[in-house]
Amino acid sequence: MENYEELLIEILKKIAQESKQTDLSIPVGISNRHIHLSREDVECLFGKGYELTKLKDLSQPGQYACKETVMICGPKGMIENVRILGPERKQTQVEVLKSDCFKLGIKAPLRLSGELQDSGSVTLIGPKGSKMIVNGAIVAKRHIHMPSKDATRFDVIDGENVSIAFDGDRGGVLNEVTVRVDDHAGLECHIDVEEANALGVGSNTTIVIQKN
């Protein structure tokens, strides 16, 4: 009887493992406008020696939302209470929505995170000072984070563009989704809140890859 139970447990474990390996769905993370600050700009906006305060962890390992917010200003308008995300970066990056560009009166190109050359300009205002960011404002290009083991499983490579399909009442397909392979990342597709609203996507939605 004991041998039977042990065998049954092993069979169930194997079935669960095989099921996980054949599951080609990917969870979705929905991003609103936010800011990544450099050390220099943290001190400019909040004061010398200031340390950002972690509010909660995000789904990507090592990433977190901070308690602090700042104001984004452009030639035509401003947006208050924009959340800062940690940890600090070498260069400040301001990620806005497409509709924010009209409100602010700026031109923020569609880019992957870190691609800031010739990007948009905005002014950030904090409680202790302000800073004009000459190159740093972008609209985030939709993308999929995955470690290399998942890239192998999905048969994709870093930098490859794929399409993603959503289920649901407003389901559909989004093209030009860039795969970003990094062994420090967790498997997750990132789209912004405008894209999510258009497709009726929520935090429990999953997507599948369709190769272009």
Side-chain angles (χ1 to χ4, degrees), residues 15-188:
I15 291 174
Q17 183 177 12
E18 291 176 350
S19 176
K20 184 177 181 180
Q21 290 174 345
T22 57
D23 180 12
L24 297 180
S25 63
I26 298 173
V28 175
I30 302 170
S31 298
N32 204 341
R33 66 183 72 88
H34 60 271
I35 300 169
H36 303 275
L37 289 177
S38 67
R39 164 58 12 197
E40 176 186 351
D41 291 341
V42 168
E43 295 193 342
C44 180
L45 298 173
F46 294 96
K48 187 171 179 59
Y50 188 89
E51 297 293 336
L52 295 172
T53 308
K54 181 189 289 189
L55 182 64
K56 65 175 181 178
D57 289 319
L58 301 177
S59 54
Q60 285 300 305
Q63 304 293 309
Y64 53 88
C66 299
K67 178 181 178 181
E68 292 80 6
T69 63
V70 297
M71 181 189 299
I72 301 177
C73 293
K76 291 185 178 180
M78 62 184 182
I79 301 174
E80 297 180 314
N81 300 319
V82 181
R83 184 72 56 192
I84 296 170
L85 302 187
E88 296 168 1
R89 294 195 177 183
K90 292 182 179 180
Q91 184 174 353
T92 291
Q93 177 172 296
V94 181
E95 297 184 34
V96 296
L97 306 174
K98 187 63 177 178
S99 60
D100 293 339
C101 296
F102 300 105
K103 181 174 183 178
L104 295 169
I106 66 169
K107 293 182 178 179
L110 184 68
R111 298 279 181 82
L112 291 172
S113 180
E115 297 179 351
L116 301 180
Q117 184 175 355
D118 298 323
S119 58
S121 298
V122 294
T123 297
L124 303 180
I125 300 178
K128 297 293 185 179
S130 63
K131 177 68 178 288
M132 183 176 182
I133 308 300
V134 177
N135 286 302
I138 63 171
V139 175
K141 188 180 189 296
R142 46 188 177 248
H143 56 278
I144 304 172
H145 291 289
M146 62 175 68
S148 55
K149 61 182 178 64
D150 285 316
T152 300
R153 183 162 63 94
F154 286 99
D155 189 27
V156 294
I157 61 174
D158 184 49
E160 181 176 355
N161 286 326
V162 299
S163 298
I164 55 175
F166 296 82
D167 290 328
D169 294 338
R170 304 182 71 183
V173 175
L174 291 175
N175 301 320
E176 296 301 314
V177 185
T178 303
V179 175
R180 309 203 75 178
V181 179
D182 182 350
D183 283 331
H184 297 292
L187 179 64
E188 189 173 48

